[in-house]
Structures are given as structure tokens and as C-alpha cells.
Amino acid sequence: MYNNTLTLNNGAKIPQLGLGTWFIDDAKVADAVKEAVKLGYRHIDTAQAYGNERGVGEGVRNCGVSREKLFVVSKVAAEHKTYKEAKAGIDETLEKMGLDYLDMMIIHSPQPWLEVNQSDDRYVEGNRAAWRALEDAYKEGKLKAIGISNFQIGDIESLLETAEVKPMVNQILLHISNTPLELVEYCQKRGIVVEAYSPIAHGEILNQPEIKVIADKYGVTIPQLCIRYTLQLGAIALPKTADPEHMKSNAEVNFEISAEDMEALKNFKKIENYGESSGFPVYGGKL
């Protein structure tokens, strides 16, 4: 089990490998969480938009590992762009999950999902308002860390102009064939840890024969290569699965990709189509 941790800019430790729960049904996710914890996972990631916070909370409460040993994260709905909405959402998440606190909560997107990649409005004031709600919950101890997701450099800069607390993470789409190096380096230079969601490119990377050649060279699976790639970029990896075998395999990433191969992977051709995942509201129907 890969059990490295990173230190956030407020001193909190976060496991570098976590379980993503996007698309895992609320009725099944508690079992997925319990299986993951049994295998050694200590970082669980959910969101209001996933519709499974209740089940994740149930899994966390009943997994047999004490609460303080787990790092549990959720996300403020992308549509919540007022202080009141964001604050109510934070409290609702805690109640739904049956938890006294979350280890981290982040703004899911600078734009509401239906406007992602379709609108020029970056919701500067709305994000500042939602951030104030997170800051207040952080000061009250309801949240141990706070962050953002899908924020571009301009979004971060406008948020920092009024923020009292600097974001601790930026969770972004980051995988082989989609490595926004400028954004990654911008965040890391400013002490904002990068998190990689969908590190296996929604499974589409499995169809790339050139990637299989590199994985075979290291004697690993393509998903293992993909996860290791994001870890070596200094990011947190959040592969999502409800399958215990996949969870186990995804955590067996204690190998080293050479500098030469890392460069090749950073520059791998962009996947233009995510198949069935392309139309998900996360992308507003567009990539």
C-alpha cells in the first residue's frame, strides 16, 4: 500500500493516495469505503454533486478505524455562489455524513457545471463569497483544511486578492495526455497542493498502445503507471473505483518512473474524447 503523505500549507498531513467516489452509488459507497480502509486507504474524497455523501459518511463511521486516522473530503456544490448557500451546504454535508468535522472541504468549480467551458463568467464575487463561508467554517473547526477545484490561474489570483486563508489544494483534471504544467507549477510554487482527479483519464488511456508499452517496461498495469505519474508530479492521486481488486492494484505503486519517461508522458498527445464521460455536467457537455 502506498502510504506517503504530503503536508498542506497549514501543517495538516494529507495521504497522497486517496479513493475517489464519483459515480459510486450512495447505496454501495459505504461498502466501498470500508473495503478501501481495510486495504489501507486513509483518504476518502466525495462531493455534494456526487449524491453519495450519506453513504460515504456511513462507511467512515463504520470502517473500524478511528475517525482521526482518516482524511475525509467533500466539495461545495459548484452552483453555490453566495455565502448563505455555501454555509448552509457545509452544515448540510456534515449532518448528512454524520460527522463532527471534515478534514477538508473545497469549492467544486469556479463556474456552475452547466456553464463550464461555455461561459466567460468566472463568478469572481460568487467564489469569494463561497470562500468566506469555507474560511468561517475552518475558523470554527468544522473543517480542518479548505481548498478549491478546477480553478485556473486567473481564478486563483482573483480569490487570493480577498482571501484571509490561502487555499490548501487545487483539485484538477490531471492525467497522462492532460498535464497542465503551468497551472501545476503555479500552484506548487505558492504552497497549494495539486490533487489529480480521474488520473486514469476516465479509462480512455487504456486504449493507448504507446502507454501500454511503457507500463510493460515497468511490469505494471496502465492504471498503476497513470497513478504513479501523478504522484511523481508531486500531486495527490484520487483514482475512483468500487472494486476492491482495483483498489488494491491502484495502491501498488511503489516503483519509480525514469526522468526520461516522465518527460515523454508529460508531452503525450492529448486525448480528444473521453467516451461516455464526455457529456457529464462536470464538463458542461464540452471539453
Side-chain angles (χ1 to χ4, degrees):
M1 175 76 202
Y2 184 85
N3 55 15
N4 192 48
T5 60
L6 299 180
T7 303
L8 301 177
N9 61 36
N10 69 338
K13 301 267 191 207
I14 183 169
Q16 197 180 359
L17 180 66
L19 178 74
T21 62
W22 181 26
F23 277 152
I24 305 179
D25 188 80
D26 191 51
K28 298 176 181 169
V29 76
D31 286 339
V33 168
K34 286 187 272 190
E35 285 294 334
V37 171
K38 199 187 296 179
L39 287 166
Y41 284 80
R42 294 295 179 262
H43 178 175
I44 311 293
D45 182 273
T46 184
Q48 292 171 353
Y50 299 172
N52 62 10
E53 288 178 314
R54 184 213 61 79
V56 170
E58 180 190 324
V60 166
R61 295 193 314 275
N62 299 318
C63 69
V65 168
S66 59
R67 173 68 188 90
E68 62 272 13
K69 289 183 178 166
L70 301 174
F71 198 99
V72 184
V73 182
S74 191
K75 306 176 191 76
V76 173
E79 294 70 29
H80 290 177
K81 298 302 183 199
T82 68
Y83 179 89
K84 188 177 176 185
E85 284 173 331
K87 184 178 189 301
I90 294 163
D91 291 337
E92 188 182 322
T93 285
L94 287 166
E95 188 179 341
K96 203 175 274 186
M97 296 185 80
L99 301 177
D100 295 330
Y101 69 92
L102 283 181
D103 296 276
M104 187 162 66
M105 196 150 188
I106 62 185
I107 298 175
H108 208 160
S109 170
Q111 297 174 300
W113 291 134
L114 293 178
E115 293 185 42
V116 169
N117 300 331
Q118 299 197 47
S119 165
D120 292 332
D121 187 349
R122 302 305 293 183
Y123 288 82
V124 170
E125 292 307 322
N127 289 317
R128 288 173 174 176
W131 188 250
R132 280 197 302 278
L134 283 173
E135 287 180 327
D136 285 352
Y138 174 64
K139 290 170 189 170
E140 290 164 16
K142 294 176 183 176
L143 310 173
K144 303 296 184 186
I146 53 178
I148 50 182
S149 180
N150 297 300
F151 273 53
Q152 299 301 313
I153 291 172
D155 302 319
I156 299 170
E157 291 190 333
S158 61
L159 191 69
L160 289 174
E161 283 175 22
T162 57
E164 288 181 33
V165 179
K166 185 169 33 170
M168 286 135 208
V169 304
N170 186 17
Q171 186 177 130
I172 61 173
L173 182 64
L174 172 62
H175 55 74
I176 295 167
S177 90
N178 188 84
T179 306
L181 285 174
E182 187 186 1
L183 177 59
V184 170
E185 287 163 9
Y186 172 91
C187 291
Q188 290 176 339
K189 278 179 185 166
R190 283 156 185 79
I192 300 170
V193 169
V194 172
E195 295 191 312
Y197 68 79
S198 299
I200 306 166
H202 310 299
E204 288 302 308
I205 201 82
L206 302 174
N207 304 324
Q208 307 297 322
E210 306 97 319
I211 298 300
K212 185 174 188 316
V213 169
I214 298 176
D216 288 348
K217 174 180 167 181
Y218 291 96
V220 298
T221 65
I222 292 176
Q224 286 169 336
L225 181 78
C226 291
I227 292 163
R228 181 68 203 186
Y229 171 73
T230 57
L231 296 173
Q232 280 187 222
L233 289 174
I236 287 163
L238 298 168
K240 58 182 173 61
T241 182
D243 182 330
E245 283 304 311
H246 289 169
M247 290 177 196
K248 184 172 183 295
S249 176
N250 288 346
E252 292 169 352
V253 286
N254 287 305
F255 64 98
E256 191 82 22
I257 302 170
S258 72
E260 185 184 356
D261 286 337
M262 281 296 290
E263 282 308 306
L265 294 171
K266 281 178 194 174
N267 296 296
F268 188 73
K269 67 186 181 191
K270 187 167 174 58
I271 291 175
E272 297 297 342
N273 184 359
Y274 286 107
E276 291 177 6
S277 298
S278 297
F280 194 76
V282 166
Y283 304 109
K286 291 186 180 180
L287 290 172

